[in-house]
mmCIF file of all heavy atoms in Angstrom:
data_model
loop_
_atom_site.group_PDB
_atom_site.id
_atom_site.type_symbol
_atom_site.label_atom_id
_atom_site.label_comp_id
_atom_site.label_asym_id
_atom_site.label_seq_id
_atom_site.Cartn_x
_atom_site.Cartn_y
_atom_site.Cartn_z
ATOM 1 N N ALA A 1185 -48.995 -25.135 -21.845
ATOM 2 C CA ALA A 1185 -48.801 -25.493 -23.251
ATOM 3 C C ALA A 1185 -48.091 -26.829 -23.353
ATOM 4 O O ALA A 1185 -48.447 -27.687 -24.163
ATOM 5 C CB ALA A 1185 -47.988 -24.408 -23.960
ATOM 6 N N ALA A 1186 -47.073 -26.999 -22.511
ATOM 7 C CA ALA A 1186 -46.386 -28.283 -22.486
ATOM 8 C C ALA A 1186 -47.320 -29.378 -21.989
ATOM 9 O O ALA A 1186 -47.275 -30.509 -22.442
ATOM 10 C CB ALA A 1186 -45.144 -28.203 -21.604
ATOM 11 N N ALA A 1187 -48.180 -29.023 -21.041
ATOM 12 C CA ALA A 1187 -49.111 -30.009 -20.500
ATOM 13 C C ALA A 1187 -50.027 -30.546 -21.596
ATOM 14 O O ALA A 1187 -50.270 -31.741 -21.690
ATOM 15 C CB ALA A 1187 -49.943 -29.381 -19.387
ATOM 16 N N MET A 1188 -50.528 -29.640 -22.421
ATOM 17 C CA MET A 1188 -51.435 -30.068 -23.483
ATOM 18 C C MET A 1188 -50.723 -30.958 -24.492
ATOM 19 O O MET A 1188 -51.299 -31.908 -25.016
ATOM 20 C CB MET A 1188 -52.014 -28.839 -24.182
ATOM 21 C CG MET A 1188 -52.914 -27.992 -23.279
ATOM 22 S SD MET A 1188 -53.432 -26.452 -24.066
ATOM 23 C CE MET A 1188 -54.423 -27.107 -25.407
ATOM 24 N N ALA A 1189 -49.443 -30.665 -24.723
ATOM 25 C CA ALA A 1189 -48.707 -31.428 -25.731
ATOM 26 C C ALA A 1189 -48.220 -32.760 -25.187
ATOM 27 O O ALA A 1189 -48.025 -33.702 -25.937
ATOM 28 C CB ALA A 1189 -47.513 -30.615 -26.235
ATOM 29 N N ALA A 1190 -47.980 -32.845 -23.883
ATOM 30 C CA ALA A 1190 -47.322 -34.032 -23.346
ATOM 31 C C ALA A 1190 -48.124 -34.731 -22.255
ATOM 32 O O ALA A 1190 -47.606 -35.563 -21.543
ATOM 33 C CB ALA A 1190 -45.952 -33.651 -22.801
ATOM 34 N N GLY A 1191 -49.381 -34.392 -22.095
ATOM 35 C CA GLY A 1191 -50.187 -35.038 -21.068
ATOM 36 C C GLY A 1191 -49.843 -34.561 -19.684
ATOM 37 O O GLY A 1191 -49.929 -35.312 -18.723
ATOM 38 N N LEU A 1192 -49.422 -33.311 -19.558
ATOM 39 C CA LEU A 1192 -49.004 -32.756 -18.272
ATOM 40 C C LEU A 1192 -50.234 -32.270 -17.516
ATOM 41 O O LEU A 1192 -51.027 -31.505 -18.036
ATOM 42 C CB LEU A 1192 -48.044 -31.596 -18.522
ATOM 43 C CG LEU A 1192 -47.309 -31.016 -17.336
ATOM 44 C CD1 LEU A 1192 -46.352 -32.039 -16.768
ATOM 45 C CD2 LEU A 1192 -46.549 -29.777 -17.755
ATOM 46 N N TYR A 1193 -50.367 -32.686 -16.263
ATOM 47 C CA TYR A 1193 -51.511 -32.303 -15.456
ATOM 48 C C TYR A 1193 -51.072 -31.432 -14.304
ATOM 49 O O TYR A 1193 -49.975 -31.581 -13.782
ATOM 50 C CB TYR A 1193 -52.233 -33.545 -14.924
ATOM 51 C CG TYR A 1193 -52.937 -34.327 -16.000
ATOM 52 C CD1 TYR A 1193 -52.227 -35.240 -16.764
ATOM 53 C CD2 TYR A 1193 -54.281 -34.122 -16.274
ATOM 54 C CE1 TYR A 1193 -52.851 -35.957 -17.774
ATOM 55 C CE2 TYR A 1193 -54.918 -34.833 -17.270
ATOM 56 C CZ TYR A 1193 -54.204 -35.751 -18.017
ATOM 57 O OH TYR A 1193 -54.819 -36.451 -19.009
ATOM 58 N N ALA A 1194 -51.925 -30.538 -13.890
ATOM 59 C CA ALA A 1194 -51.592 -29.620 -12.802
ATOM 60 C C ALA A 1194 -51.804 -30.301 -11.457
ATOM 61 O O ALA A 1194 -52.534 -31.267 -11.338
ATOM 62 C CB ALA A 1194 -52.469 -28.374 -12.889
ATOM 63 N N ALA A 1195 -51.144 -29.726 -10.452
ATOM 64 C CA ALA A 1195 -51.317 -30.235 -9.097
ATOM 65 C C ALA A 1195 -51.225 -29.082 -8.126
ATOM 66 O O ALA A 1195 -50.508 -28.130 -8.348
ATOM 67 C CB ALA A 1195 -50.250 -31.278 -8.776
ATOM 68 N N HIS A 1196 -51.934 -29.176 -7.019
ATOM 69 C CA HIS A 1196 -51.922 -28.112 -6.017
ATOM 70 C C HIS A 1196 -50.786 -28.291 -5.028
ATOM 71 O O HIS A 1196 -50.360 -27.342 -4.408
ATOM 72 C CB HIS A 1196 -53.253 -28.095 -5.259
ATOM 73 C CG HIS A 1196 -54.400 -27.706 -6.128
ATOM 74 N ND1 HIS A 1196 -54.681 -26.407 -6.445
ATOM 75 C CD2 HIS A 1196 -55.321 -28.467 -6.772
ATOM 76 C CE1 HIS A 1196 -55.746 -26.368 -7.238
ATOM 77 N NE2 HIS A 1196 -56.144 -27.600 -7.448
ATOM 78 N N ALA A 1197 -50.334 -29.499 -4.838
ATOM 79 C CA ALA A 1197 -49.271 -29.749 -3.878
ATOM 80 C C ALA A 1197 -48.594 -31.056 -4.229
ATOM 81 O O ALA A 1197 -49.165 -31.884 -4.922
ATOM 82 C CB ALA A 1197 -49.817 -29.815 -2.455
ATOM 83 N N ALA A 1198 -47.393 -31.231 -3.706
ATOM 84 C CA ALA A 1198 -46.649 -32.463 -3.951
ATOM 85 C C ALA A 1198 -46.221 -33.049 -2.613
ATOM 86 O O ALA A 1198 -45.531 -32.400 -1.854
ATOM 87 C CB ALA A 1198 -45.410 -32.184 -4.803
ATOM 88 N N PRO A 1199 -46.624 -34.263 -2.300
ATOM 89 C CA PRO A 1199 -46.207 -34.860 -1.036
ATOM 90 C C PRO A 1199 -44.690 -34.922 -0.950
ATOM 91 O O PRO A 1199 -44.011 -35.150 -1.929
ATOM 92 C CB PRO A 1199 -46.810 -36.281 -1.103
ATOM 93 C CG PRO A 1199 -47.925 -36.173 -2.088
ATOM 94 C CD PRO A 1199 -47.519 -35.136 -3.075
ATOM 95 N N ALA A 1200 -44.170 -34.745 0.265
ATOM 96 C CA ALA A 1200 -42.723 -34.722 0.439
ATOM 97 C C ALA A 1200 -42.089 -36.048 0.062
ATOM 98 O O ALA A 1200 -40.918 -36.108 -0.275
ATOM 99 C CB ALA A 1200 -42.387 -34.400 1.897
ATOM 100 N N ALA A 1201 -42.852 -37.126 0.110
ATOM 101 C CA ALA A 1201 -42.276 -38.439 -0.170
ATOM 102 C C ALA A 1201 -42.204 -38.759 -1.645
ATOM 103 O O ALA A 1201 -41.745 -39.818 -2.030
ATOM 104 C CB ALA A 1201 -43.102 -39.530 0.535
ATOM 105 N N MET A 1202 -42.649 -37.841 -2.494
ATOM 106 C CA MET A 1202 -42.706 -38.141 -3.920
ATOM 107 C C MET A 1202 -41.366 -38.600 -4.481
ATOM 108 O O MET A 1202 -41.305 -39.484 -5.308
ATOM 109 C CB MET A 1202 -43.164 -36.917 -4.704
ATOM 110 C CG MET A 1202 -44.665 -36.790 -4.796
ATOM 111 S SD MET A 1202 -45.129 -35.478 -5.929
ATOM 112 C CE MET A 1202 -46.879 -35.705 -5.988
ATOM 113 N N ALA A 1203 -40.305 -37.979 -4.063
ATOM 114 C CA ALA A 1203 -39.010 -38.244 -4.666
ATOM 115 C C ALA A 1203 -38.478 -39.626 -4.310
ATOM 116 O O ALA A 1203 -37.545 -40.096 -4.926
ATOM 117 C CB ALA A 1203 -37.998 -37.192 -4.231
ATOM 118 N N THR A 1204 -39.077 -40.286 -3.328
ATOM 119 C CA THR A 1204 -38.524 -41.555 -2.898
ATOM 120 C C THR A 1204 -39.462 -42.732 -3.124
ATOM 121 O O THR A 1204 -39.072 -43.870 -2.913
ATOM 122 C CB THR A 1204 -38.156 -41.499 -1.408
ATOM 123 O OG1 THR A 1204 -39.314 -41.186 -0.643
ATOM 124 C CG2 THR A 1204 -37.101 -40.448 -1.142
ATOM 125 N N LYS A 1205 -40.669 -42.483 -3.563
ATOM 126 C CA LYS A 1205 -41.586 -43.586 -3.782
ATOM 127 C C LYS A 1205 -41.175 -44.394 -5.008
ATOM 128 O O LYS A 1205 -40.680 -43.871 -5.976
ATOM 129 C CB LYS A 1205 -43.022 -43.075 -3.974
ATOM 130 C CG LYS A 1205 -43.698 -42.706 -2.662
ATOM 131 C CD LYS A 1205 -45.172 -42.543 -2.859
ATOM 132 C CE LYS A 1205 -45.884 -42.292 -1.546
ATOM 133 N NZ LYS A 1205 -47.323 -42.191 -1.705
ATOM 134 N N LYS A 1206 -41.416 -45.681 -4.943
ATOM 135 C CA LYS A 1206 -41.017 -46.538 -6.052
ATOM 136 C C LYS A 1206 -42.122 -46.621 -7.093
ATOM 137 O O LYS A 1206 -43.293 -46.399 -6.834
ATOM 138 C CB LYS A 1206 -40.697 -47.932 -5.529
ATOM 139 C CG LYS A 1206 -41.897 -48.646 -4.906
ATOM 140 C CD LYS A 1206 -41.468 -49.968 -4.305
ATOM 141 C CE LYS A 1206 -42.656 -50.676 -3.671
ATOM 142 N NZ LYS A 1206 -42.276 -51.951 -3.069
ATOM 143 N N ASP A 1207 -41.713 -46.986 -8.324
ATOM 144 C CA ASP A 1207 -42.692 -47.211 -9.381
ATOM 145 C C ASP A 1207 -43.415 -48.516 -9.097
ATOM 146 O O ASP A 1207 -42.806 -49.539 -8.794
ATOM 147 C CB ASP A 1207 -41.993 -47.311 -10.737
ATOM 148 C CG ASP A 1207 -41.400 -45.988 -11.153
ATOM 149 O OD1 ASP A 1207 -42.146 -45.190 -11.726
ATOM 150 O OD2 ASP A 1207 -40.206 -45.761 -10.899
ATOM 151 N N GLU A 1208 -44.743 -48.466 -9.172
ATOM 152 C CA GLU A 1208 -45.523 -49.654 -8.862
ATOM 153 C C GLU A 1208 -45.488 -50.674 -9.987
ATOM 154 O O GLU A 1208 -45.730 -51.852 -9.772
ATOM 155 C CB GLU A 1208 -46.975 -49.246 -8.568
ATOM 156 C CG GLU A 1208 -47.129 -48.353 -7.338
ATOM 157 C CD GLU A 1208 -46.620 -49.004 -6.069
ATOM 158 O OE1 GLU A 1208 -46.712 -50.243 -5.955
ATOM 159 O OE2 GLU A 1208 -46.120 -48.287 -5.194
ATOM 160 N N ALA A 1209 -45.172 -50.277 -11.220
ATOM 161 C CA ALA A 1209 -45.227 -51.192 -12.346
ATOM 162 C C ALA A 1209 -44.044 -52.147 -12.369
ATOM 163 O O ALA A 1209 -44.087 -53.168 -13.031
ATOM 164 C CB ALA A 1209 -45.282 -50.409 -13.651
ATOM 165 N N PHE A 1210 -42.985 -51.836 -11.667
ATOM 166 C CA PHE A 1210 -41.794 -52.680 -11.679
ATOM 167 C C PHE A 1210 -41.304 -52.865 -10.256
ATOM 168 O O PHE A 1210 -41.212 -51.908 -9.498
ATOM 169 C CB PHE A 1210 -40.704 -52.035 -12.543
ATOM 170 C CG PHE A 1210 -39.436 -52.838 -12.607
ATOM 171 C CD1 PHE A 1210 -39.303 -53.886 -13.505
ATOM 172 C CD2 PHE A 1210 -38.378 -52.562 -11.749
ATOM 173 C CE1 PHE A 1210 -38.144 -54.641 -13.559
ATOM 174 C CE2 PHE A 1210 -37.213 -53.307 -11.794
ATOM 175 C CZ PHE A 1210 -37.094 -54.353 -12.705
#
Side-chain angles (χ1 to χ4, degrees):
M1188 294 173 65
L1192 190 66
Y1193 291 83
H1196 294 280
M1202 274 188 173
T1204 59
K1205 282 194 175 183
K1206 64 185 179 181
D1207 292 275
E1208 297 301 328
F1210 180 83

